[in-house]
Amino acid sequence: MPEIVELGERPYVALRGTVPMDGIAAFADRLREVIDWLAAREIAPNDAPFFKYDVVDMDRGLTMEIGFPVDDVHSGEGEIVTGVLPAGRYVTATHHGHPDGLLGATRDLLAWGDEQGVAWDADGDIWAARLEVYRSDPREVPDMDDWVTDLQFKLKG
């Protein structure tokens, strides 16, 4: 069941790109570039990796970032970007299962929000913070059907 929580600011380092809906998996495979960039600078992630959906346009593609929260704000370079996930109220829900089920979990979360009358922090297809946080480490949980993923969608105000 979704819940509303208060989250603080979270600096992050990520790889940014625009991908078609069927290109998310290939883009996700590039997370290693972020890991290598962080390692080369001796910067440690402080939480699980995330996908951040900045623009969600089912026809033209997704503008998204894949990365990690870190302790401090850094400067990116090339395709590596940095930023701060904004503080505020978020609707959160946990998905247990294969990432293929996240489309349905997202649809259910958005429908719940509509039923509850929440106001998403979004302007049309552009979102302030719409995240999938991947809690399962593939080295420890190799079966994707056993993965745990948190959805975190920022609310207005």
Side-chain angles (χ1 to χ4, degrees):
M1 182 62 139
E3 63 179 322
I4 297 175
V5 300
E6 189 79 28
L7 296 174
E9 284 189 341
R10 297 169 282 170
Y12 69 89
V13 174
L15 177 70
R16 182 175 177 84
T18 300
V19 299
M21 283 295 293
D22 63 358
I24 295 173
F27 189 63
D29 287 342
R30 295 184 64 195
L31 188 62
R32 169 56 60 187
E33 294 173 41
V34 180
I35 294 168
D36 292 345
W37 190 93
L38 290 168
R41 288 153 186 81
E42 298 182 352
I43 301 168
N46 65 19
D47 202 357
F50 64 82
F51 291 9
K52 179 175 178 278
Y53 295 88
D54 295 326
V55 179
V56 179
D57 184 323
M58 299 301 206
D59 297 323
R60 288 181 279 197
L62 307 165
T63 301
M64 60 185 293
E65 298 173 352
I66 54 174
F68 293 88
V70 294
D71 289 335
D72 301 304
V73 176
H74 297 275
S75 295
E77 58 189 300
E79 290 182 281
I80 301 292
V81 299
T82 62
V84 177
L85 299 172
R89 294 176 339 138
Y90 285 73
V91 172
T92 67
T94 300
H95 170 71
H96 297 271
H98 196 285
D100 287 348
L102 286 167
L103 189 59
T106 297
R107 183 182 55 246
D108 293 347
L109 181 61
L110 293 171
W112 177 89
D114 289 344
E115 291 168 8
Q116 300 299 313
V118 302
W120 304 112
D121 195 349
D123 182 8
D125 295 335
I126 302 169
W127 287 75
R130 178 172 163 168
L131 306 168
E132 296 171 355
V133 181
Y134 290 83
R135 298 290 177 197
S136 300
D137 183 334
R139 296 169 295 189
E140 297 170 10
V141 185
D143 186 346
M144 295 174 84
D145 290 331
D146 294 330
W147 281 16
V148 175
T149 308
D150 292 337
L151 300 176
Q152 300 175 349
F153 293 10
K154 188 171 181 306
L155 297 173
K156 278 192 197 258

